[in-house]
Amino acid sequence: GPAVYALAVLTVVIVWAELALDPQAVWEEIERRGQTHAPMPPRTDTPSLLQLRPGSVGCEGCGLVSVPADGDGHCPRCGSALHERKPGSISRTWALVIAAAVLYVPANVYPVLTVIQLGAGQPSTIMGGVEELLASQMYPLALLVFFASILVPMFKLIALVAMLLATQIGRPEAGASVLLRERTRLYYIVAWVGRWSMVDIFMESLLGALVQFGNAVTIQPGIGALAFCAVVFITIFAAESFDPRLMWDAAGRNAHQPLQSGQPAAALAKPAR
């Protein structure tokens, strides 16, 4: 019915509104009204990177760069706790990634949905649901479920493992700054795309709540759905636990290590004059 089309347009408009909103403008208005967590330090001209005061920390909540006051490690603008780097970022991210990888197997092996019609029914896995949608010639919906429920979680796990390995055992390489920018963009893609993995679960929730016609037709979620939900939430927590600044720290430590060619990485990364 028309409500389905309205829901689709509503989803697009909400995403559009989220992209159009500038959080920095909101924080500047909060500053102008004097509603910050603590008195703000006097404004000065924006310093260059070389002129930043020692001990400056960027707030993960509002993005303000400030020097924590003695005994108060909180952002003066939003009140978030300030950390130079997220505590225990690597170990916590590894633990969450391993847990998600373990749960990814039952999420795809065990049934996520069971449709019982006139007393007979057959459980269906995520891939089985994709095959049924293809058999019913619902190609766009089949592609959506396959992408959101199978490819996206796998992509997130592979991307997180790649970033962790690049941080821990990364080697100096030519064009390192370009690669680091690409990995940083990859991190923000992983952190943003996580919410869309729940499309399949939302569909099952709606079907399970609406399609209940006594003994005629019932739809019940399976253990695979619970495992899949756990995978989605754990990968979201893993992306939030990882600190992308650690990749740049690791590159800085390896900047002067020689490559196989015998030249330092920093020399090869600099553009020719």
Side-chain angles (χ1 to χ4, degrees), residues 120-132:
Q122 182 178 358
S124 175
T125 62
I126 295 177
M127 200 63 198
V130 173
E131 294 174 355
E132 292 177 8

Side-chain angles (χ1 to χ4, degrees), residues 129-154:
V130 173
E131 294 174 355
E132 292 177 8
L133 291 172
L134 289 174
S136 302
Q137 297 183 351
M138 298 181 182
Y139 302 118
L141 191 56
L143 182 62
L144 175 63
V145 173
F146 179 76
F147 176 78
S149 302
I150 295 178
L151 288 186
V152 168
M154 184 184 300

Side-chain angles (χ1 to χ4, degrees), residues 157-180:
L157 290 173
I158 294 175
L160 286 169
V161 169
M163 288 184 288
L164 286 167
L165 293 177
T167 302
Q168 287 191 288
I169 60 174
R171 295 290 184 267
E173 46 197 338
S177 60
V178 176
L179 290 174
L180 284 169

Side-chain angles (χ1 to χ4, degrees), residues 24-190:
Q24 187 61 34
V26 177
W27 286 114
E28 289 178 356
E29 180 64 19
I30 291 175
E31 287 186 41
R32 189 184 68 81
R33 299 186 181 188
Q35 297 177 344
T36 56
H37 175 74
M40 295 290 293
R43 281 185 172 272
T44 57
D45 294 336
T46 303
S48 65
L49 294 177
L50 297 178
Q51 295 173 334
L52 287 176
R53 292 174 56 188
S56 298
V57 178
C59 177
E60 298 174 13
C62 66
L64 178 70
V65 177
S66 60
V67 179
D70 295 337
D72 184 14
H74 291 80
C75 175
R77 184 158 69 178
C78 68
S80 300
L82 294 177
H83 304 285
E84 290 187 1
R85 298 294 181 265
K86 293 180 181 179
S89 173
I90 298 296
S91 57
R92 284 191 298 160
T93 306
W94 268 121
L96 292 169
V97 166
I98 293 172
V102 171
L103 289 170
Y104 186 75
V105 176
N108 288 274
V109 172
Y110 288 100
V112 295
L113 199 67
T114 301
V115 180
I116 302 175
Q117 186 173 3
L118 299 177
Q122 182 178 358
S124 175
T125 62
I126 295 177
M127 200 63 198
V130 173
E131 294 174 355
E132 292 177 8
L133 291 172
L134 289 174
S136 302
Q137 297 183 351
M138 298 181 182
Y139 302 118
L141 191 56
L143 182 62
L144 175 63
V145 173
F146 179 76
F147 176 78
S149 302
I150 295 178
L151 288 186
V152 168
M154 184 184 300
F155 161 74
K156 290 184 67 176
L157 290 173
I158 294 175
L160 286 169
V161 169
M163 288 184 288
L164 286 167
L165 293 177
T167 302
Q168 287 191 288
I169 60 174
R171 295 290 184 267
E173 46 197 338
S177 60
V178 176
L179 290 174
L180 284 169
R181 285 195 295 270
E182 296 298 327
R183 290 169 185 165
T184 304
R185 293 191 186 100
L186 176 63
Y187 165 77
Y188 286 109
I189 292 174
V190 168

